[in-house]
Amino acid sequence: MESQMIRPGHVTAHQTARALGIGLDGVRQLVRRGRLKRSGGTPRQPWYAVPDVAALVAERRERNAA
C-alpha cells in the first residue's frame, strides 16, 4: 500500500525493488548489508533516496553487461 505522501527525490521500498528487479526481502538485505540507506518514511514503510537507488541500478546494469 503506497498511500503515504512521499517527499520528492525519494522512492518506496516497492518502487526500489521494482527498479532493481528484486523482491522486498532483497531490498531489506541491501539495507542490512549497508549497500542502501533508508532516508525517510517509517520503519514499516521506508523511503530511499533516488540517487542511491539509481547508483545500485547502474551498478547492476554494468555488472550484467560484463
Coordinates of all heavy atoms in Angstrom, one line a residue:
M1 N 0.8 -1.2 0.0 CA 0.0 0.0 0.0 C 0.9 1.2 0.0 O 1.7 1.4 0.9 CB -0.9 0.0 1.2 CG -1.9 1.1 1.3 SD -2.9 1.1 2.8 CE -3.3 -0.5 3.1
E2 N 0.7 2.1 -1.0 CA 1.6 3.3 -1.1 C 0.8 4.6 -1.0 O 0.8 5.4 -1.8 CB 2.3 3.2 -2.4 CG 3.2 2.0 -2.6 CD 4.0 2.0 -3.9 OE1 4.3 3.1 -4.4 OE2 4.3 0.9 -4.3
S3 N 0.0 4.7 0.1 CA -0.9 5.8 0.2 C -0.2 7.0 0.9 O -0.7 8.1 0.9 CB -2.2 5.4 1.0 OG -1.8 5.0 2.3
Q4 N 0.9 6.8 1.5 CA 1.7 7.8 2.2 C 2.3 8.8 1.2 O 2.8 8.4 0.2 CB 2.8 7.1 3.1 CG 3.5 8.0 4.0 CD 4.5 7.2 4.8 OE1 4.9 6.2 4.5 NE2 4.9 7.8 6.0
M5 N 2.2 10.0 1.6 CA 2.9 11.1 0.7 C 4.4 10.9 0.8 O 4.9 10.8 1.9 CB 2.5 12.5 1.1 CG 1.0 12.8 0.9 SD 0.6 12.8 -0.8 CE 1.4 14.3 -1.3
I6 N 5.0 10.9 -0.3 CA 6.5 10.7 -0.3 C 7.1 12.0 -0.8 O 6.7 12.7 -1.7 CB 6.9 9.6 -1.3 CG1 6.2 8.3 -0.9 CG2 8.4 9.4 -1.4 CD1 6.3 7.2 -1.9
R7 N 8.2 12.4 -0.1 CA 8.9 13.6 -0.4 C 9.6 13.4 -1.8 O 10.0 12.3 -2.2 CB 10.1 13.8 0.6 CG 9.6 14.2 2.0 CD 10.7 14.6 2.9 NE 11.8 13.6 2.8 CZ 12.7 13.4 3.7 NH1 12.8 14.2 4.7 NH2 13.6 12.5 3.7
P8 N 9.7 14.5 -2.5 CA 10.4 14.5 -3.8 C 11.8 14.0 -3.6 O 12.4 14.3 -2.6 CB 10.4 15.9 -4.3 CG 9.2 16.6 -3.5 CD 9.1 15.9 -2.2
G9 N 12.2 13.2 -4.6 CA 13.6 12.7 -4.6 C 13.7 11.4 -3.8 O 14.8 10.9 -3.5
H10 N 12.6 10.8 -3.4 CA 12.6 9.5 -2.7 C 11.6 8.5 -3.4 O 10.7 8.9 -4.1 CB 12.1 9.8 -1.2 CG 13.1 10.6 -0.5 ND1 13.1 11.9 -0.5 CD2 14.0 10.2 0.4 CE1 14.1 12.4 0.3 NE2 14.6 11.3 0.9
V11 N 11.9 7.2 -3.1 CA 11.0 6.2 -3.6 C 10.7 5.2 -2.5 O 11.5 5.1 -1.5 CB 11.7 5.4 -4.8 CG1 11.8 6.3 -6.0 CG2 13.1 4.9 -4.4
T12 N 9.7 4.5 -2.6 CA 9.3 3.5 -1.6 C 10.1 2.2 -1.8 O 10.8 2.0 -2.8 CB 7.8 3.1 -1.8 OG1 7.6 2.5 -3.0 CG2 6.9 4.4 -1.7
A13 N 9.9 1.3 -0.9 CA 10.6 0.0 -0.9 C 10.1 -0.8 -2.1 O 10.9 -1.4 -2.8 CB 10.4 -0.8 0.4
H14 N 8.8 -0.7 -2.4 CA 8.2 -1.4 -3.6 C 8.8 -0.8 -4.9 O 9.2 -1.6 -5.8 CB 6.7 -1.2 -3.6 CG 6.0 -2.0 -2.5 ND1 6.0 -3.3 -2.5 CD2 5.4 -1.6 -1.4 CE1 5.3 -3.7 -1.4 NE2 4.9 -2.7 -0.8
Q15 N 8.9 0.5 -5.0 CA 9.5 1.1 -6.2 C 11.0 0.7 -6.3 O 11.4 0.5 -7.4 CB 9.3 2.6 -6.2 CG 7.8 3.0 -6.3 CD 7.6 4.5 -5.9 OE1 8.4 5.0 -5.1 NE2 6.7 5.1 -6.6
T16 N 11.7 0.7 -5.2 CA 13.1 0.3 -5.2 C 13.2 -1.1 -5.7 O 14.1 -1.4 -6.6 CB 13.7 0.5 -3.8 OG1 13.5 1.9 -3.4 CG2 15.1 0.1 -3.8
A17 N 12.4 -2.0 -5.2 CA 12.5 -3.4 -5.6 C 12.2 -3.6 -7.1 O 12.9 -4.3 -7.8 CB 11.5 -4.2 -4.7
R18 N 11.2 -2.9 -7.5 CA 10.9 -3.0 -9.0 C 12.0 -2.5 -9.8 O 12.3 -3.1 -10.8 CB 9.6 -2.1 -9.2 CG 8.8 -2.5 -10.4 CD 7.5 -1.8 -10.5 NE 6.7 -1.9 -9.3 CZ 6.2 -0.8 -8.6 NH1 6.4 0.4 -9.1 NH2 5.5 -1.0 -7.5
A19 N 12.6 -1.3 -9.4 CA 13.7 -0.8 -10.2 C 14.9 -1.7 -10.3 O 15.6 -1.8 -11.3 CB 14.1 0.6 -9.6
L20 N 15.2 -2.4 -9.2 CA 16.3 -3.3 -9.1 C 16.0 -4.7 -9.6 O 16.9 -5.5 -9.7 CB 16.8 -3.4 -7.7 CG 17.5 -2.1 -7.1 CD1 17.7 -2.2 -5.6 CD2 18.8 -1.8 -7.8
G21 N 14.7 -5.0 -9.8 CA 14.4 -6.3 -10.3 C 14.5 -7.4 -9.2 O 14.9 -8.5 -9.5
I22 N 14.3 -7.0 -7.9 CA 14.4 -7.9 -6.8 C 13.1 -7.8 -6.0 O 12.2 -7.0 -6.3 CB 15.6 -7.6 -5.9 CG1 15.5 -6.2 -5.4 CG2 16.9 -7.8 -6.7 CD1 16.6 -5.8 -4.4
G23 N 13.0 -8.6 -5.0 CA 11.8 -8.6 -4.1 C 12.1 -7.7 -2.9 O 13.2 -7.2 -2.7
L24 N 11.1 -7.5 -2.1 CA 11.2 -6.7 -0.9 C 12.3 -7.2 0.1 O 13.0 -6.5 0.7 CB 9.9 -6.5 -0.2 CG 8.8 -5.7 -0.9 CD1 7.5 -5.7 -0.2 CD2 9.3 -4.2 -1.1
D25 N 12.4 -8.5 0.1 CA 13.4 -9.1 1.0 C 14.8 -8.8 0.5 O 15.7 -8.5 1.3 CB 13.2 -10.6 1.1 CG 14.1 -11.2 2.2 OD1 14.0 -10.7 3.3 OD2 14.8 -12.2 1.9
G26 N 15.0 -8.7 -0.8 CA 16.2 -8.3 -1.4 C 16.6 -6.8 -1.0 O 17.7 -6.5 -0.7
V27 N 15.6 -6.0 -1.0 CA 15.8 -4.6 -0.5 C 16.2 -4.6 0.9 O 17.2 -3.9 1.3 CB 14.5 -3.7 -0.7 CG1 14.7 -2.3 -0.2 CG2 14.2 -3.6 -2.2
R28 N 15.5 -5.3 1.8 CA 15.9 -5.4 3.2 C 17.3 -5.9 3.4 O 18.1 -5.4 4.2 CB 14.9 -6.3 4.0 CG 13.6 -5.7 4.2 CD 12.7 -6.5 5.1 NE 12.2 -7.7 4.5 CZ 11.0 -7.7 3.8 NH1 10.3 -6.6 3.7 NH2 10.6 -8.8 3.2
Q29 N 17.7 -6.9 2.5 CA 19.1 -7.4 2.6 C 20.1 -6.3 2.2 O 21.2 -6.2 2.8 CB 19.3 -8.6 1.7 CG 18.6 -9.8 2.2 CD 19.2 -10.4 3.5 OE1 20.4 -10.3 3.7 NE2 18.4 -10.9 4.3
L30 N 19.8 -5.5 1.2 CA 20.7 -4.4 0.8 C 20.9 -3.4 2.0 O 22.0 -2.9 2.2 CB 20.2 -3.7 -0.4 CG 20.3 -4.5 -1.7 CD1 19.5 -3.7 -2.8 CD2 21.7 -4.6 -2.1
V31 N 19.8 -3.1 2.7 CA 19.9 -2.2 3.8 C 20.7 -2.9 4.9 O 21.6 -2.3 5.5 CB 18.5 -1.9 4.3 CG1 18.5 -1.1 5.7 CG2 17.7 -1.1 3.3
R32 N 20.4 -4.1 5.2 CA 21.2 -4.9 6.3 C 22.7 -4.9 6.0 O 23.5 -4.8 6.9 CB 20.6 -6.3 6.4 CG 21.0 -7.0 7.6 CD 20.3 -8.3 7.8 NE 18.9 -8.1 8.0 CZ 17.9 -8.7 7.4 NH1 18.2 -9.6 6.5 NH2 16.6 -8.4 7.7
R33 N 23.0 -5.1 4.8 CA 24.4 -5.2 4.4 C 25.1 -3.8 4.2 O 26.3 -3.7 3.9 CB 24.6 -5.9 3.1 CG 24.2 -7.4 3.2 CD 24.3 -8.1 1.9 NE 23.9 -9.5 2.1 CZ 23.3 -10.2 1.1 NH1 23.2 -9.7 -0.1 NH2 23.0 -11.4 1.3
G34 N 24.3 -2.7 4.4 CA 24.9 -1.4 4.3 C 25.0 -0.9 2.8 O 25.7 0.1 2.6
R35 N 24.4 -1.5 1.9 CA 24.5 -1.1 0.5 C 23.5 0.0 0.1 O 23.6 0.7 -0.8 CB 24.3 -2.3 -0.5 CG 25.2 -3.5 -0.2 CD 26.6 -3.4 -0.9 NE 26.7 -2.7 -2.2 CZ 26.4 -3.2 -3.4 NH1 26.1 -4.5 -3.5 NH2 26.6 -2.5 -4.4
L36 N 22.4 0.1 1.0 CA 21.4 1.0 0.7 C 20.9 1.6 2.1 O 20.9 0.8 3.1 CB 20.2 0.3 0.0 CG 19.0 1.2 -0.3 CD1 19.4 2.2 -1.4 CD2 17.9 0.3 -0.9
K37 N 20.7 2.9 2.1 CA 20.4 3.5 3.4 C 19.0 4.1 3.3 O 18.6 4.8 2.4 CB 21.4 4.6 3.7 CG 21.2 5.3 5.0 CD 22.3 6.3 5.3 CE 22.0 7.0 6.6 NZ 22.9 8.1 6.8
R38 N 18.2 3.9 4.4 CA 16.9 4.5 4.4 C 17.0 6.0 4.6 O 17.9 6.4 5.3 CB 16.1 3.9 5.6 CG 15.8 2.5 5.5 CD 15.0 2.0 6.7 NE 14.8 0.6 6.6 CZ 14.8 -0.3 7.5 NH1 15.2 0.0 8.7 NH2 14.6 -1.6 7.3
S39 N 16.2 6.7 3.9 CA 16.3 8.2 4.0 C 15.0 8.9 4.4 O 14.8 10.0 4.2 CB 16.8 8.8 2.7 OG 15.9 8.5 1.7
G40 N 14.1 8.1 5.0 CA 12.8 8.7 5.5 C 11.8 7.6 5.6 O 12.0 6.4 5.5
G41 N 10.5 8.1 5.7 CA 9.4 7.2 5.9 C 9.3 6.7 7.3 O 9.7 7.4 8.3
T42 N 8.8 5.5 7.4 CA 8.6 4.9 8.8 C 9.3 3.5 8.8 O 9.7 3.1 7.7 CB 7.1 4.6 9.0 OG1 6.6 3.7 8.1 CG2 6.3 5.9 9.0
P43 N 9.5 2.9 9.9 CA 10.2 1.6 9.9 C 9.4 0.6 9.0 O 10.1 -0.3 8.4 CB 10.1 1.2 11.4 CG 10.1 2.5 12.1 CD 9.3 3.4 11.3
R44 N 8.1 0.7 9.0 CA 7.3 -0.3 8.2 C 7.2 0.1 6.7 O 7.0 -0.7 5.8 CB 5.9 -0.5 8.7 CG 6.0 -1.2 10.1 CD 4.6 -1.5 10.6 NE 3.9 -2.4 9.6 CZ 3.6 -3.6 9.9 NH1 4.1 -4.2 11.0 NH2 2.9 -4.3 9.0
Q45 N 7.4 1.4 6.4 CA 7.3 1.9 5.1 C 8.4 2.9 4.8 O 8.2 4.1 4.7 CB 5.9 2.6 4.8 CG 4.8 1.7 4.9 CD 3.5 2.4 4.6 OE1 3.3 3.6 4.7 NE2 2.4 1.6 4.3
P46 N 9.6 2.3 4.6 CA 10.8 3.2 4.4 C 10.9 3.8 3.0 O 10.3 3.3 2.1 CB 12.0 2.2 4.7 CG 11.4 0.9 4.3 CD 10.0 0.9 4.6
W47 N 11.6 4.9 3.0 CA 11.9 5.6 1.7 C 13.3 5.5 1.4 O 14.1 5.4 2.4 CB 11.5 7.0 1.7 CG 10.1 7.4 2.1 CD1 9.0 6.6 2.0 CD2 9.6 8.6 2.6 NE1 7.9 7.2 2.4 CE2 8.2 8.5 2.7 CE3 10.2 9.8 2.9 CZ2 7.5 9.5 3.2 CZ3 9.5 10.8 3.4 CH2 8.1 10.7 3.5
Y48 N 13.7 5.6 0.2 CA 15.1 5.5 -0.2 C 15.4 6.7 -1.2 O 14.5 7.0 -2.0 CB 15.5 4.2 -0.9 CG 15.2 3.0 0.1 CD1 14.0 2.3 -0.1 CD2 16.0 2.7 1.1 CE1 13.7 1.3 0.8 CE2 15.7 1.7 2.0 CZ 14.6 1.0 1.8 OH 14.2 0.0 2.7
A49 N 16.5 7.3 -1.1 CA 16.9 8.4 -2.0 C 17.1 7.9 -3.4 O 17.7 6.9 -3.6 CB 18.2 9.1 -1.5
V50 N 16.5 8.7 -4.3 CA 16.6 8.3 -5.8 C 18.0 8.1 -6.2 O 18.3 7.1 -6.9 CB 15.8 9.3 -6.6 CG1 16.1 9.1 -8.1 CG2 14.3 9.2 -6.3
P51 N 19.0 9.0 -5.9 CA 20.4 8.8 -6.3 C 21.0 7.5 -5.8 O 21.7 6.9 -6.6 CB 21.1 10.1 -5.8 CG 20.1 11.1 -5.6 CD 18.8 10.3 -5.2
D52 N 20.6 7.1 -4.6 CA 21.2 5.9 -4.1 C 20.7 4.7 -4.9 O 21.4 3.7 -5.2 CB 20.8 5.7 -2.6 CG 21.5 6.7 -1.7 OD1 22.4 7.4 -2.2 OD2 21.0 6.9 -0.6
V53 N 19.4 4.7 -5.2 CA 18.7 3.6 -5.9 C 19.3 3.6 -7.3 O 19.6 2.5 -7.9 CB 17.2 3.7 -5.9 CG1 16.6 2.7 -6.8 CG2 16.7 3.6 -4.5
A54 N 19.4 4.8 -7.9 CA 19.9 4.9 -9.3 C 21.3 4.3 -9.4 O 21.7 3.7 -10.4 CB 19.9 6.3 -9.8
A55 N 22.2 4.6 -8.4 CA 23.5 4.1 -8.4 C 23.5 2.5 -8.3 O 24.3 1.9 -9.0 CB 24.3 4.6 -7.2
L56 N 22.6 2.0 -7.5 CA 22.6 0.5 -7.5 C 22.1 -0.1 -8.8 O 22.6 -1.1 -9.3 CB 21.7 0.0 -6.3 CG 22.2 0.2 -4.9 CD1 21.2 -0.1 -3.9 CD2 23.4 -0.8 -4.8
V57 N 21.1 0.6 -9.4 CA 20.6 0.1 -10.7 C 21.7 0.2 -11.8 O 21.9 -0.8 -12.5 CB 19.4 1.0 -11.2 CG1 19.1 0.7 -12.7 CG2 18.2 0.7 -10.3
A58 N 22.5 1.3 -11.8 CA 23.6 1.4 -12.7 C 24.7 0.3 -12.5 O 25.2 -0.3 -13.4 CB 24.2 2.8 -12.6
E59 N 24.9 0.1 -11.2 CA 25.9 -1.0 -10.8 C 25.5 -2.3 -11.3 O 26.3 -3.1 -11.9 CB 26.1 -1.0 -9.3 CG 27.1 -2.0 -8.8 CD 27.2 -1.9 -7.3 OE1 27.3 -0.8 -6.7 OE2 27.1 -3.0 -6.7
R60 N 24.2 -2.7 -11.2 CA 23.7 -3.9 -11.6 C 23.7 -4.1 -13.1 O 24.1 -5.1 -13.7 CB 22.2 -4.1 -11.2 CG 22.1 -4.5 -9.7 CD 20.6 -4.7 -9.4 NE 20.6 -5.3 -8.1 CZ 20.4 -6.7 -8.0 NH1 20.3 -7.4 -9.0 NH2 20.3 -7.2 -6.8
R61 N 23.4 -3.0 -13.8 CA 23.5 -3.0 -15.3 C 24.9 -3.2 -15.8 O 25.1 -4.0 -16.7 CB 22.9 -1.7 -15.9 CG 21.4 -1.6 -15.9 CD 20.9 -0.4 -16.6 NE 19.5 -0.3 -16.5 CZ 18.8 0.8 -16.5 NH1 19.5 1.9 -16.6 NH2 17.5 0.8 -16.4
E62 N 25.8 -2.5 -15.1 CA 27.2 -2.6 -15.5 C 27.7 -4.1 -15.3 O 28.4 -4.6 -16.1 CB 28.1 -1.7 -14.7 CG 29.5 -1.6 -15.1 CD 30.3 -0.6 -14.3 OE1 29.8 0.6 -14.3 OE2 31.2 -1.0 -13.6
R63 N 27.3 -4.6 -14.1 CA 27.8 -6.0 -13.8 C 27.2 -7.0 -14.8 O 27.8 -8.0 -15.2 CB 27.3 -6.3 -12.4 CG 28.0 -7.6 -11.9 CD 27.7 -7.9 -10.4 NE 27.1 -6.8 -9.6 CZ 26.1 -6.9 -8.8 NH1 25.5 -8.0 -8.7 NH2 25.7 -5.8 -8.2
N64 N 25.9 -6.8 -15.2 CA 25.2 -7.7 -16.1 C 25.7 -7.6 -17.5 O 25.6 -8.5 -18.3 CB 23.7 -7.5 -16.0 CG 23.1 -8.0 -14.7 OD1 23.7 -8.8 -14.1 ND2 22.0 -7.5 -14.4
A65 N 26.2 -6.4 -17.9 CA 26.8 -6.2 -19.2 C 28.1 -6.8 -19.4 O 28.5 -7.1 -20.5 CB 26.8 -4.7 -19.5
A66 N 28.9 -7.0 -18.3 CA 30.2 -7.5 -18.4 C 30.2 -9.0 -18.7 O 29.4 -9.8 -18.7 CB 31.0 -7.3 -17.1

